[in-house]
Amino acid sequence: MGAWDAWIGRSETRHDQLTPALLARFRATIDSEETNETAPQGIHFCLCTPDAATAELDQDGHPRRGALLPPVPLPRRMWASSKIEFLSPLTVGAAIARCSTVTAIAEKTGASGDLVFVTIDHETQADGAIAVREEQTLVFRAAPTDAPAPRPPDQRVDIAQWPWHRPLIPGPALLFRYSALTFNSHRIHYDLPYAVGEEHYRGLVVHGPLTATLLLDLVAREIGHNRLRHFAFRGAAPAFAGEPLHLVGRQAGGAITLSALGGDGRTIMTAEATL
């Protein structure tokens, strides 16, 4: 029996409601231009969020592991990837239920040391009907002991192959608002001394699902809202507050390719979507 086999199949169900206030705050956070009562794709990240008491938070700001997630003894936790199926739009007033189940745990060794990958299946229902299915992969790893790498110089990012392009500089206020929407108290998103001194990042880290949400919003700006059936993203490198971020995409028939690029040309996130 593997070290984490007891956690396979462990599940929890959370309940919420998509209120007009949450929808308004979500749109304000990402500067969405929508105005109707159908929510943008990606708002499910902000529903049925963890609600551990402050006294139950670990040093990094996350709820202590050992309930749904296994007590992996590696400090860094990152949202590595997700595969999402949108079955129906979420609308204001809907009663939301999300069942989350741990489906796989894998230990690996990479260039940075030991890694533990945890896969969780989320099924989000709205008024009793399945609206969103998601396979989420988290990765846990040791924090590096080296000092944070300095910010590389910005360069001209080649966007010739990307007809869709939205440049922006995510600031601390955007990160704060998204943390509030998702009730995410991970300190790398708001506590600069912790992010630099303890986890050895060079700045405040942009949330992975926030970058994914901004890519979903790019699609909505280009071809209309709630058009996607499938959306899969994978994080490649962290994005940081105060540094340029280029959201780019292109469409070929019913397939869409997306990417988030840093101002230095690094690939932050890749994504694929279908209508």
Side-chain angles (χ1 to χ4, degrees):
M1 182 174 181
W4 308 114
D5 286 358
W7 267 264
I8 304 298
R10 188 168 295 202
S11 66
E12 68 175 19
T13 299
R14 294 184 175 275
H15 300 272
D16 208 337
Q17 185 175 30
L18 179 48
T19 65
L22 173 62
L23 178 55
R25 289 192 292 265
F26 179 82
R27 285 175 171 156
T29 298
I30 64 171
D31 295 318
S32 172
E33 299 174 354
E34 273 191 284
T35 58
N36 58 38
E37 293 191 347
T38 301
Q41 290 178 324
I43 200 171
H44 71 284
F45 294 137
C46 305
L47 293 162
C48 301
T49 57
D51 55 3
T54 302
E56 297 173 0
L57 299 180
D58 218 334
Q59 180 194 10
D60 65 357
H62 276 303
R64 292 193 186 98
R65 302 165 196 171
L68 178 66
L69 293 177
V72 178
L74 296 171
R76 266 200 184 181
R77 167 182 168 175
M78 294 169 289
W79 191 320
S81 64
S82 275
K83 298 176 182 177
I84 303 168
E85 181 181 16
F86 296 108
L87 299 173
S88 62
L90 299 176
T91 57
V92 167
I96 306 297
R98 186 181 72 178
C99 179
S100 303
T101 305
V102 177
T103 58
I105 302 175
E107 297 183 74
K108 299 182 181 181
T109 301
S112 60
D114 293 337
L115 304 168
V116 176
F117 293 86
V118 179
T119 302
I120 309 169
D121 284 356
H122 302 288
E123 184 178 272
T124 300
Q125 295 187 2
D127 292 331
I130 300 174
V132 183
R133 289 194 181 100
E134 177 180 3
E135 179 186 273
Q136 175 193 15
T137 299
L138 301 174
V139 60
F140 298 87
R141 67 182 180 90
T145 56
D146 298 334
R151 174 180 171 179
D154 292 340
Q155 62 185 30
R156 184 179 179 85
V157 177
D158 183 10
I159 59 169
Q161 61 176 319
W162 302 103
W164 304 348
H165 177 216
R166 182 191 174 199
L168 74 157
I169 298 178
L174 173 60
L175 273 59
F176 172 83
R177 282 183 155 197
Y178 195 76
S179 287
L181 282 173
T182 55
F183 207 55
N184 183 346
S185 49
H186 195 184
R187 292 168 65 184
I188 63 172
H189 304 306
Y190 63 87
D191 185 341
L192 184 59
Y194 173 85
V196 175
E198 295 294 327
E199 299 213 18
H200 296 275
Y201 290 109
R202 67 167 179 264
L204 295 177
V205 180
V206 179
H207 315 64
L210 172 56
T211 302
T213 296
L214 292 171
L215 289 175
L216 286 168
D217 181 62
L218 176 68
V219 175
R221 291 167 184 257
E222 295 291 341
I223 65 171
H225 302 286
N226 283 284
R227 293 287 310 280
L228 297 183
R229 180 61 182 265
H230 297 97
F231 177 72
F233 69 86
R234 180 174 297 277
F240 297 103
E243 299 186 13
L245 187 65
H246 297 268
L247 308 170
V248 295
R250 59 175 176 264
Q251 181 179 5
I256 296 171
T257 303
L258 300 154
S259 190
L261 307 173
D264 57 347
R266 290 176 307 131
T267 297
I268 304 297
M269 180 175 286
T270 60
E272 301 289 337
T274 58
L275 301 178

